[in-house]
Amino acid sequence: MKLTFEKYIASQGLKMTRQRGLILEIFLKKEGHISPEELYSLVRKKDATVGRATVYRMLKLLKEADIAREVDFGDGFSRYEHKYGHAHHDHLICTKCGKTMEVVDEEIEALQEKLAGRHGFSLTSHEMDLFGLCPECREKEARVKRQPPG
Amino acid sequence: MKLTFEKYIASQGLKMTRQRGLILEIFLKKEGHISPEELYSLVRKKDATVGRATVYRMLKLLKEADIAREVDFGDGFSRYEHKYGHAHHDHLICTKCGKTMEVVDEEIEALQEKLAGRHGFSLTSHEMDLFGLCPECREKEARVKRQPPG
DNA sequence: TTCACTGCAAAAGATTTGCACCCTC
DNA sequence: GAGGGTGCAAATCTTTTGCAGTGAA
């Protein structure tokens, strides 16, 4: 993965730097998605001199190098996840506690292709986010109903 | 639809105003999605005294009244669409020309429920955006390949 | 008459950019 | 040594908010 990035960097006539190495390392360690701000704060813990702009610029680069994927839960800020050991997947998002799960359903994937095909589209990517209540929050909800406060 | 809004307004102890009437009217006329800025500029054409904040506040209200749905294509700004004659649907988006189509596939909808259920989630909503090339852009693409410029 | 509503301008919050200096290659 | 990279602060861009005046019920 690091190699992939170095190859990309070289192919574009760009340069490898201490900052890029550090950001990449931390980004790859993080499973699931991470916001630029979270990443920035993790990076700062290791090296407080790195600037916020560098993190943003690096994320853009990672996307171009096809190492990161940008996801958007529509809550006002972006998130990124690396593709290492992470094939494409969709998200189950709890609207109460914010927990997310990565899921894939091959049947759905296939139907998406068919659906697009029926309209003459050729698909390059998709994003599917399913919002609802996670098991824990459903349980809590049920408990509240049984015994209302007050 | 206008009635639905008026009912909602009344039920919340809010008031109907000239601005709200105008924004609602223009919003309902627009098929497909519209960004706050677009809506604002359409409204200004009819009444140049309406403020941008009023449009934003109205969109929030329309969402609460369950008349509008917010969609997010992850390009940095929000979009809204009304539900009048618009059942739930997903989107096919051309990454080249930006054209969008509304689509629904009952089979996919059903599988989404099943998928969520397998993980103990109860769904309240979802967003599915399929990105790719529309028929026209595919055709153009193919033509370019056959006869490269230069 | 009472509050909700409005426009404006300022504020907020995420992301980008201009610039002078730094450091790979 | 050349040219890309960096940090910082300022700039952008979308959306929200505070406020004093306005208007619906």
Side-chain angles (χ1 to χ4, degrees), chain B residues 14-15 17 19-20 49-51 54 57:
Chain B
L14 306 178
K15 291 167 183 170
T17 64
Q19 291 89 333
R20 287 182 177 170
T49 72
V50 176
T54 300
R57 287 189 274 234

Side-chain angles (χ1 to χ4, degrees), chain B residues 124-136:
Chain B
T124 50
S125 69
H126 70 257
E127 176 158 355
M128 183 171 90
D129 300 314
L130 307 177
F131 299 94
L133 291 181
C134 70
E136 291 71 37

Side-chain angles (χ1 to χ4, degrees), chain A residues 11-56:
Chain A
S11 77
Q12 299 298 108
L14 305 178
K15 292 167 184 170
M16 196 58 196
T17 64
R18 178 175 51 82
Q19 291 90 332
R20 286 180 177 171
L22 178 62
I23 296 170
L24 177 59
E25 183 191 314
I26 293 176
F27 179 67
L28 290 179
K29 263 193 205 136
K30 175 80 183 180
E31 286 308 314
H33 26 74
I34 188 169
S35 68
E37 205 56 28
E38 281 178 273
L39 180 55
Y40 173 62
S41 97
L42 288 179
V43 168
R44 295 283 288 205
K45 276 188 200 156
K46 288 262 186 173
D47 179 349
T49 72
V50 176
R52 182 177 270 108
T54 300
V55 172
Y56 275 95

